[in-house]
Amino acid sequence: MAGMGRSSRAGRGTDRTRTAADPQPAATGPGGRTHAQGPLARPVDSGLAELRPDRDRPAAWSLLIDGAPQSMVDLADPTHLGFEYQRRLGHLIDLAAPPGRPLTVLHLGGGALTLARYVAATRPRSRQQVAEIDTALTELVRAELPLERSWQIKVRGADARSVLERAPEAGADLVIADVFSGARVPAHCTTVEFTTLAARALAPGGRYAVNIADGAGLPFARSQIATLGAVFPELCLVADPAVLRGKRFGNLVLAAGHTPLPLAELGRRVASDAALGRVEHGRSLADFAAGAAPATDATAAPSPAPPPGVFH
């Protein structure tokens, strides 16, 4: 499922800055669950799912699993990305091709399908496949936070790695790994072998984006940099400076490819975002990960559990 996130209210505002080059939001009716119906809690395959109304946006909902934030969806505006990590992945989606051009995207981890909604709204006619192992969660999301019927989004109820293993070679413009079991990235989705499968699925010029979470010392993040670096020649990391200094537990987004990444424009977008962020690449990224070993199927461990109280 899609991973834990931090609300934009922790940053400097609620919306990312939209530039003239950005696609405009698609018109859509809210539909689905209303705030008047109140919050909803329901057991799903992975734990207790909760839908909580957002206090600032009248058609927005946060999805939590066992208390860990997973996704935020605004039914009236699918271009709104309420979590820091989602906005950073949104920047990478925006920069994957010229504005408005349809993409073929493979999402590993679905949650409330926030990023799939974003692609569909900003890049009409995109073809998307989502791997979400929790079929009960997908049923809940489809019922309460429905998708537009015109969107070409196919959700497969299967493990992310098994879907990746069956993905067509060179078929995706973008592979986004946002795979969490609760608040931890499963070990089998963190390895060189997993990353190699992602690289195989990418079309020429395609990019791989990964959302992870780590805390003090950032050993997991350093290992993931080494892991992606063992497969891809081009790599960057985006995170809150406080997370990079180990001051707090949080999300980090990695982007990788076989061709140069749009580092200058990504840096500008991150700098103008509502939440503080920094882009690391090249020598600084290599120094940051110095001494870390790539994770393999034989050595991998899940990402660390969040410290108590991190979501409160």
Side-chain angles (χ1 to χ4, degrees):
M1 77 187 55
M4 53 155 284
R6 185 177 176 89
S7 170
S8 62
R9 285 188 291 271
R12 294 174 287 174
T14 56
D15 284 306
R16 69 183 185 90
T17 301
R18 184 177 297 279
T19 69
D22 282 336
Q24 296 301 307
T28 180
R33 191 171 186 84
T34 67
H35 282 197
Q37 294 173 277
L40 173 69
R42 184 174 299 171
V44 293
D45 299 337
S46 53
L48 181 66
E50 297 177 76
L51 291 177
R52 296 182 183 174
D54 185 89
R55 66 175 182 264
D56 295 326
R57 302 179 70 90
W61 296 84
S62 291
L63 167 68
L64 296 85
I65 303 292
D66 290 337
Q70 300 291 327
S71 303
M72 180 182 286
V73 168
D74 189 333
L75 292 173
D77 180 9
T79 69
H80 173 71
L81 300 175
F83 289 163
E84 293 173 11
Y85 87 87
Q86 290 177 337
R87 290 198 303 280
R88 288 161 187 159
L89 290 170
H91 295 324
L92 293 168
I93 293 167
D94 291 345
L95 296 173
R101 199 191 86 182
L103 294 174
T104 300
V105 185
L106 174 58
H107 301 265
L108 305 174
L113 307 174
T114 305
L115 291 172
R117 297 169 196 264
Y118 181 83
V119 172
T122 60
R123 296 182 177 275
R125 303 181 307 283
S126 290
R127 299 173 63 85
Q128 302 186 78
Q129 183 176 167
V130 181
E132 174 52 68
I133 195 170
D134 192 332
T135 55
L137 175 62
T138 299
E139 291 172 1
L140 173 65
V141 168
R142 285 188 180 278
E144 303 292 341
L145 309 176
L147 301 172
E148 292 290 307
R149 292 187 178 182
S150 62
W151 292 344
Q152 299 181 61
I153 300 172
K154 180 182 292 184
V155 183
R156 295 194 178 278
D159 175 76
R161 181 151 174 174
S162 68
V163 171
L164 189 56
E165 288 169 346
R166 298 193 301 271
E169 185 172 355
D173 299 305
L174 192 59
V175 175
I176 301 175
D178 188 14
V179 187
F180 280 72
S181 177
R184 306 182 73 179
V185 183
H188 71 291
C189 296
T190 68
T191 68
V192 169
E193 292 87 346
F194 183 88
T195 305
T196 300
L197 290 170
R200 174 184 171 276
L202 288 175
R207 293 170 189 150
Y208 180 44
V210 187
N211 175 44
I212 61 173
D214 204 357
L218 301 171
F220 180 76
R222 295 174 196 274
S223 175
Q224 287 302 285
I225 293 166
T227 300
L228 269 65
V231 177
F232 291 100
E234 303 291 336
L235 182 64
C236 73
L237 176 150
V238 188
D240 186 309
V243 174
L244 287 173
R245 293 195 300 269
K247 297 292 187 181
R248 70 171 176 86
F249 189 93
N251 295 83
L252 306 96
V253 170
L254 290 163
H258 287 292
T259 57
L261 302 172
L263 296 171
E265 181 58 26
L266 178 62
R268 283 191 287 269
R269 289 176 180 241
V270 169
S272 64
D273 205 353
L276 291 173
R278 194 166 79 212
V279 179
E280 296 286 353
H281 60 91
R283 174 52 58 187
S284 64
L285 187 61
D287 290 345
F288 176 77
T296 68
D297 283 349
T299 64
S303 66
V310 72
F311 302 127
H312 302 291

